[in-house]
Amino acid sequence: MSIPRIQPRLVRRNLRLPSHNFLIPTLSQSAHRRFLSTTPKNNATISTGSSSPSDSSKPQPQPKRKPLTKEQRDFLSSALRVNQAGELAACLIYTAQTPPIINAHPHLRPLMAHMYAQEEGHFNTFNALIAKHRVRPTALYPLWSVLATGLGWSTAVMGREAAMACTEAVETEIGGHYNNQIRTLLEMFEQWEAEGYEVGEELQDLVKTLRRIRDEELEHLDHAVDNDAKKAEPHWLLTGVIRLGCRGAIWVSERV
């Protein structure tokens, strides 16, 4: 059974923003609720007992949240944009690699399907996030699609070792890339907490998502090494060129 081909679609731009979108500068503003009494004012009674009013009738303190600076909003936008582009490329690499690889090595079919399924899940996750926060996708979708497909097909034709070396190189760069994003967010959280601000649940969930995806990418790296990625010839040149290309694509996609 072959792996289905990816049909990348541009995300919709007209999705409705959530009330606590972490890319909106008015993050610290909170909704105010009116609590209406059903007891007429003239008939209201005052309790003479010793019990204090119920805590539920007291105004609940609102969480103290610090609005994002423009630099922080730009960082989050570029992070979501480049992550979506990278996961699209990963899906296309595996789509192109799978037919030649499983024809020559049928026992690798479950592994290729497993890695593809995880990459597709990552791609869908970032599709949803950039749609939710109205982040502009990279303008270089067509170029990355062609290059990723070509990279996947050419390394697969070179043999199993070269295909696995491709995965090793890509996941090495992607793992470091996600680590950098996580580190930046954690430093941001630490600064806010030192200033007495709370970190929003949405941003905490984003860090959890990035950690999960990073761990799955590094799992692919381990699979590649276990399947003779290091035996590709010339290994240093092949992985070096691919890693350099990944760094260039990341830099461009963060900005374009």
Side-chain angles (χ1 to χ4, degrees), residues 76-129:
L76 288 166
S77 294
S78 67
L80 296 182
R81 177 166 51 251
V82 70
N83 292 352
Q84 187 216 29
E87 298 302 340
L88 167 67
C91 287
L92 294 174
I93 288 172
Y94 284 127
T95 298
Q97 282 183 340
T98 296
I101 291 298
I102 64 174
N103 284 340
H105 307 279
H107 68 283
L108 291 177
R109 181 189 298 270
L111 176 61
M112 299 298 292
H114 168 70
M115 294 193 295
Y116 172 87
Q118 287 186 322
E119 298 293 0
E120 185 181 35
H122 303 167
F123 182 52
N124 291 338
T125 295
F126 288 116
N127 276 345
L129 285 171

Side-chain angles (χ1 to χ4, degrees), residues 153-166:
W153 181 84
S154 60
T155 53
V157 169
M158 292 170 64
R160 174 175 62 91
E161 294 84 359
M164 293 300 168
C166 174

